[in-house]
Amino acid sequence: MNQLLRAVRGMNDTVPPLADRWRKIEADITGVLSQYGYREIRFPIVESTQVFARSIGDTTDIVQKEMYTFEDRNGDSLTLRPEGTASCVRAVLENGLLQAGAQRLFYLGPMFRHERPQKGRYRQFHQVGVEALGMAGPDIDAELILMTARLWQVLGLKNLRLELNTLGTPESRALHREQLVAYFNNHHDALDEDSRHRLTRNPLRILDSKNPALKALIADAPQLAEFLDEESRSHFGAVRAVLDAAGVAHTVNPHLVRGLDYYSKTVFEWITDDLGAQGTVCAGGRYDGLVAQMGGRATPAIGFAMGLERLMELLPPAGEEEASEADLYVMGTGIEEKAAALALAEAVRDALPGTRVLCHCGQESLKSQLKRADRSGAAVALILGSEELAAGLVTLKPLRGQGEQRRVARHALTEHLLALLGSA
Ligand code: HAM
């Protein structure tokens, strides 16, 4: 036998019944987003490398170490999207969407980062992302966060906590950065290898370090809050006031800096302790400078993305009904009856559009067809034998304890099925 081929490390298959679950969660999420007036945007999985290099930031881990970048046959540098915001802004500008005013958009699909795979961290992962463009005030920041709180409620997720911070304007950040570099330079000996590296390239990321040995040093570092301008402060205060009024608990984490360079003002993360180290399930913030940076007219914007793998891992294990393949299982005893079974299945699909009808294909005996029907999780088997065919009847065999097997007239079939499905 030839050797089996395997998926790329960190890139997973999603097979039934889990894939059914994914579809349901995606529908639940996009249903909530629609309630807030968000509309779907789709853009390619591959972009020219510039789209990400110019937006996410040259010195970030994503651009430096994690992108799947390659040259295509024309020698153009292309990249598999590591996130959606940059592509979304590119697409919004290219299609002139902002000419029609503010936009509320969402997208979902795979993203690619060459990180070290572990629980909750993959090389191909999936995000639902949301971007609101053209709105500058704190109201949209607050509405976005209220929307995420509603999402957790609809999905039945508990134990998520909200952390917020404000990064202020580019000017206040530059001032802070200067002070931070001076501070860490003064404590150069205490830094670990990674942080020394970050000191020259992206000093703010030192604040993100998970090294316990640096905890005290980081806690004493100059805080951005000391350098914040008045506008950013009041913006942040207004966002928090709406959350307080709506009863959305949150904590301000002055060390929340995010791993992408395009943020300004409000940033936030929803975090759980139930997933180990990869506990951030949803993250985002305001990026008022990005649209101009990508060649558009200066436009305020804010958004977030959530990792679907992480959300899926937080949900309770699948119930039995999620494993079922069908509601009805149709079978015939001989060649003629099997042909009639296919036609019967079509008729049932016409009559009961929301019902999953699986028709047995293959030459198995009635006994093994019934076994297969039982394994499928269907509630009722529909059996066509030669007698049924001749007399215009169908045998219904309830598979989940909804009474005795019975023969019914074809014209009364829908009624009987509805009754049986209702009591399954
Ligand atoms: P991010 O923080 O890089 O932000 O990713 C958002 C979420 O995607 C994370 O909180 C996590 O749930 C999930 N995620 C990220 N990397 C992985 C991975 N390797 N494996 C599994 N899940 C992962 C962004 O991507 C921004 N574009 C969010 C945004 C939208 N900001 C404004 N608009």
Side-chain angles (χ1 to χ4, degrees), residues 62 66 82-86 107 111-116 118 120-127 129-132 258-260 262-263 269-270 278-287 302-311:
I62 296 179
E66 295 169 5
E83 60 109 43
T85 309
Y107 48 86
M111 308 289 161
F112 302 84
R113 295 184 195 173
H114 196 275
E115 296 189 84
R116 200 166 45 79
Q118 62 182 83
R121 187 165 73 191
Y122 309 100
R123 290 181 173 172
Q124 177 179 316
F125 59 98
H126 297 77
Q127 283 184 344
V130 164
E131 314 294 349
R258 312 274 303 119
L260 305 97
Y262 48 61
Y263 292 109
E269 291 191 354
W270 284 96
Q278 307 305 319
T280 306
V281 296
C282 172
R286 190 162 267 290
Y287 50 94
I302 179 166
F304 65 82
M306 50 202 149
L308 288 180
E309 281 79 1
R310 294 184 190 177
L311 286 181

Side-chain angles (χ1 to χ4, degrees), residues 45-65:
I45 286 173
V46 178
E47 297 272 354
S48 75
T49 301
Q50 271 307 304
V51 169
F52 306 112
R54 219 205 278 179
S55 55
I56 296 171
D58 282 342
T59 60
T60 58
D61 282 352
I62 296 179
V63 171
Q64 292 259 327
K65 304 195 277 209

Side-chain angles (χ1 to χ4, degrees), residues 17 20-21 24 317-327 356 376-378:
D20 299 333
R21 209 160 201 233
K24 172 157 188 327
E320 227 173 70
E321 74 282 1
E322 282 187 49
S324 101
E325 297 167 60
D327 303 310
R356 297 170 304 159
S376 76

Side-chain angles (χ1 to χ4, degrees), residues 166-180 204 222-233 263-265:
T166 178
L167 301 183
T169 56
E171 293 75 33
S172 44
R173 276 207 307 288
L175 220 64
H176 174 232
R177 187 190 150 108
E178 225 172 78
Q179 297 294 316
L180 209 58
L204 246 105
Q223 304 233 341
L224 178 61
E226 301 157 28
F227 303 89
L228 282 181
D229 56 294
E230 191 38 47
E231 217 278 300
S232 300
R233 267 180 219 275
Y263 292 109
S264 54
K265 291 189 177 161

